[in-house]
C-alpha cells in the first residue's frame, strides 16, 4: 500500500468540521478563527458551502484541524507552512494595485 505523508490525505472537509465541532464546538471555532459562519447561527451545511467557496477560510479550518488532531504527526509543520505559503502567494497575485483612473477626453474636431 502507498501511504501518504499528508495528514489531510483522504480527509473530507465535512469530516474535519464534524470532528472540530465535537472537540471544541462552534463558539470556540468562531472565536479562534474569526469566521462568521461559525459565530452567526452555525450549521454544518452552510459552513461547508462557505468554506468550499472561500479558500482563505478553508485553509484556516484545515490549520486548526492539523493543530488540534495531528500535532504529533511529523509532516504537520511542513503542511501548515505550505498552506500559509500558498495563501501568501495567492494574496500577492490578487492584491495588485488597481489601475489609475483616467478621465476620458472627448475629441473635438
Amino acid at each position: 500500500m502507498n501511504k501518504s505523508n499528508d495528514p489531510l490525505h483522504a480527509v473530507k472537509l465535512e469530516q474535519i468540521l464534524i470532528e472540530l465541532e465535537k472537540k471544541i464546538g462552534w463558539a470556540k471555532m468562531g472565536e479562534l478563527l474569526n469566521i462568521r459562519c461559525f459565530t452567526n447561527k452555525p450549521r454544518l451545511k452552510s459552513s461547508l458551502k462557505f468554506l468550499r467557496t472561500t479558500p482563505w477560510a478553508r485553509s484556516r479550518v484545515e490549520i486548526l484541524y492539523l493543530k488540534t488532531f495531528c500535532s504529533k504527526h511529523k509532516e504537520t509543520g511542513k503542511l501548515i507552512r505550505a498552506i500559509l505559503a500558498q495563501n501568501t502567494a495567492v494574496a500577492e497575485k490578487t492584491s495588485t494595485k488597481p489601475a489609475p483612473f483616467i478621465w476620458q477626453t472627448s475629441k473635438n474636431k
Side-chain angles (χ1 to χ4, degrees):
M1 249 192 224
N2 186 11
K3 283 195 167 189
S4 174
N5 284 334
D6 181 358
L8 289 176
H9 180 73
V11 180
K12 294 182 179 184
L13 183 58
E14 183 175 8
Q15 181 183 351
I16 290 173
L17 284 180
I18 290 170
E19 289 182 24
L20 282 172
E21 194 273 326
K22 284 180 183 176
K23 177 88 172 178
I24 61 176
W26 294 114
K28 186 69 172 176
M29 286 169 51
E31 180 184 320
L32 292 171
L33 301 174
N34 194 23
I35 298 176
R36 194 169 171 195
C37 70
F38 300 137
T39 59
N40 188 19
K41 298 180 186 175
R43 292 186 339 260
L44 181 63
K45 186 176 178 179
S46 62
S47 296
L48 284 169
K49 183 177 179 180
F50 175 74
L51 293 172
R52 287 179 177 141
T53 59
T54 315
W56 64 265
R58 182 179 183 143
S59 64
R60 285 186 187 180
V61 171
E62 288 174 346
I63 289 171
L64 179 61
Y65 177 82
L66 289 169
K67 287 182 176 181
T68 304
F69 295 104
C70 305
S71 60
K72 295 184 185 202
H73 193 283
K74 65 179 180 176
E75 295 294 319
T76 298
K78 289 180 187 177
L79 187 58
I80 289 173
R81 285 189 293 279
I83 291 170
L84 293 173
Q86 180 183 15
N87 290 344
T88 302
V90 168
E92 288 174 355
K93 287 181 183 177
T94 59
S95 65
T96 59
K97 292 182 181 178
F101 180 76
I102 300 173
W103 287 97
Q104 290 186 350
T105 57
S106 60
K107 294 182 180 180
N108 294 332
K109 291 187 179 182

